[in-house]
Amino acid sequence: MIKGINLSKIYESGFISKKGIVAVDGVDIEIREQETLALVGESGSGKSTLGRILLLLTKPTSGKVIFDRVDLTRLRNRKLRDLRRKMQIIPQHPEDALDPRWKLYDSIAEPFRIHKIAGKDDEEETVHKLIELVGLDQELLRRYPHEVSGGELQRVVIARAIALNPKFIVCDEPTSMLDVSVQASVVNLLMDLQRKLSMSYLFITHDLELADIVADRIAVMYAGQIVEEGIGVLKDPLHPYTQTLLGITTPISREAITPRGCKFYNLCPERSSKCLNAPKTVEMSGRRVKCHLYMEH
Ligand SMILES: Nc1ncnc2c1ncn2[C@@H]1O[C@H](COP(=O)(O)OP(=O)(O)OP(=O)(O)O)[C@@H](O)[C@H]1O
Ligand SMILES: [Mg+2]
């Protein structure tokens, strides 16, 4: 359904001596019809950048994004805007997605107006349906963002995101800023809507327990790369990084010496001299692992 091929993103930084930050480094990723792929990894590993690249909200430095067999990286702006209806993002901070000066009704109705889809009566009926679908009261529509709770606001963002029947949604830590007491209900809502509307999710989180609950498959990101991906990753982790993430082993801190080999080299409890060369991703019974331990030599 949506596929990223050899995606990289380098952010240029430094005014005089140009230094690049490699946020995403040669990633292959695929999210299938009606599937949830959870993307986990520590802060700064490149999860949000990868999610935004798949939506072409961030332009990749290299690589391709294929959505429904169309190469998005080659589309002109107008075509891309048309396809955008089918792809949405639910961000960590719901207030980022909504205009604080607008009533919530107008925020939910905006996608119809941008794409000139519904007349006024249709628009009203659809907005009312949407607000019901996300479990909120119609009365809320007259309020402004600062007049509702974080959980309610995230539900409004969700209503807006599903307004145009998307096929793919990037959920970027959609509940991490919410009160613990409402997190589960928002996650349940997202899972419910996925089933009802047949959508695919890339679900970004650093909550491993949550990833296990929502995901069909899990991808583990480290330093811009997917180091392990598949089913049962958290029950039976193969990559040394995944094992440290789960607390099964402890990372070892050594002097940094390898810019070219495996990115986990300096911290890896299982490293050997082979690891000075970058490992390839190997596939075995549905699991993909980027580690020399599993490469044939
Ligand atoms: N617009 C930008 N300009 C420069 N560097 C950026 C930009 N956005 C992200 N980065 C850098 O790219 C790297 C990956 O960032 P990203 O936000 O994708 O990580 P993340 O895994 O989503 O982290 P978090 O869990 O904290 O959200 C980081 O080193 C970050 O500082
Ligand atoms: Mg992020």
Side-chain angles (χ1 to χ4, degrees):
M1 217 263 320
I2 187 154
K3 214 174 182 172
I5 302 167
N6 203 10
L7 292 172
S8 293
K9 179 69 187 181
I10 300 171
Y11 287 111
E12 299 294 346
S13 71
F15 188 63
I16 296 166
S17 68
K18 277 247 154 81
K19 222 178 77 193
I21 297 172
V22 184
V24 172
D25 187 1
V27 165
D28 291 322
I29 187 171
E30 180 174 6
I31 298 112
R32 304 181 192 129
E33 301 269 349
Q34 299 178 42
E35 170 189 58
T36 297
L37 177 66
L39 184 60
V40 303
E42 64 202 65
S43 186
S45 55
K47 304 181 297 297
S48 296
T49 305
L50 180 56
R52 293 178 58 84
I53 288 175
L54 290 176
L55 302 175
L56 264 283
L57 294 171
T58 294
K59 203 174 169 326
T61 308
S62 60
K64 282 186 193 177
V65 178
I66 313 284
F67 177 70
D68 269 351
R69 286 183 224 96
V70 179
D71 182 354
L72 299 186
T73 37
R74 299 184 57 167
L75 287 186
R76 288 176 187 279
N77 283 340
R78 184 139 47 91
K79 277 256 172 68
L80 190 59
R81 203 175 57 210
D82 281 352
L83 268 181
R84 278 261 163 72
R85 294 165 51 174
K86 299 283 159 205
M87 307 186 290
Q88 296 290 329
I89 185 162
I90 295 169
Q92 184 172 22
H93 299 276
E95 59 278 12
D96 289 351
L98 302 173
D99 193 316
R101 299 161 304 174
W102 289 8
K103 290 194 172 144
L104 296 173
Y105 177 93
D106 292 306
S107 283
I108 300 178
E110 190 194 19
F112 302 114
R113 295 173 184 168
I114 292 175
H115 293 277
K116 300 189 182 65
I117 286 179
K120 197 163 181 309
D121 292 349
D122 282 356
E123 181 191 283
E124 236 179 273
E125 197 186 319
T126 318
V127 171
H128 283 117
K129 261 194 209 136
L130 285 167
I131 204 80
E132 202 177 301
L133 207 51
V134 297
L136 292 174
D137 206 88
Q138 309 286 348
E139 173 271 328
L140 222 87
L141 292 168
R142 292 198 305 268
R143 301 206 217 158
Y144 291 92
H146 71 270
E147 297 174 327
V148 304
S149 73
E152 287 167 333
L153 207 55
Q154 194 58 301
R155 284 172 190 261
V156 170
V157 171
I158 293 168
R160 187 178 189 274
I162 61 172
L164 299 176
N165 275 316
K167 292 184 71 178
F168 174 54
I169 299 187
V170 173
C171 306
D172 192 352
E173 315 240 17
T175 59
S176 63
M177 298 309 287
L178 304 181
D179 281 354
V180 177
S181 59
V182 298
Q183 282 180 359
S185 68
V186 172
V187 168
N188 287 337
L189 171 65
L190 285 167
M191 294 298 111
D192 244 30
L193 291 172
Q194 177 176 40
R195 244 170 288 128
K196 279 189 191 143
L197 308 175
S198 305
M199 299 180 287
S200 308
Y201 287 166
L202 178 68
F203 198 103
I204 299 174
T205 175
H206 35 276
D207 183 338
L208 299 177
E209 233 171 282
L210 178 57
D212 220 17
I213 293 169
V214 300
D216 298 301
R217 290 186 301 135
I218 291 179
V220 181
M221 206 163 175
Y222 178 75
Q225 301 181 329
I226 290 179
V227 295
E228 179 160 11
E229 183 205 303
I231 295 170
V233 166
L234 302 180
K235 277 183 207 75
D236 174 27
L238 298 180
H239 197 285
Y241 173 68
T242 316
Q243 293 172 358
T244 63
L245 197 61
L246 286 160
I248 296 166
T249 56
T250 312
I252 296 170
S253 183
R254 305 186 183 88
E255 214 181 325
I257 59 163
T258 167
R260 300 175 80 205
C262 174
K263 296 212 172 174
F264 194 50
Y265 182 83
N266 292 307
L267 300 174
C268 184
E270 310 222 36
R271 76 176 190 186
S272 68
S273 59
K274 288 177 216 151
C275 310
L276 291 164
N277 294 311
K280 292 198 178 68
T281 300
V282 290
E283 189 159 351
M284 35 188 185
S285 47
R287 186 81 63 91
R288 291 168 66 218
V289 191
K290 198 180 191 64
C291 176
H292 281 283
L293 287 175
Y294 305 94
M295 285 168 68
E296 284 173 29
H297 294 281

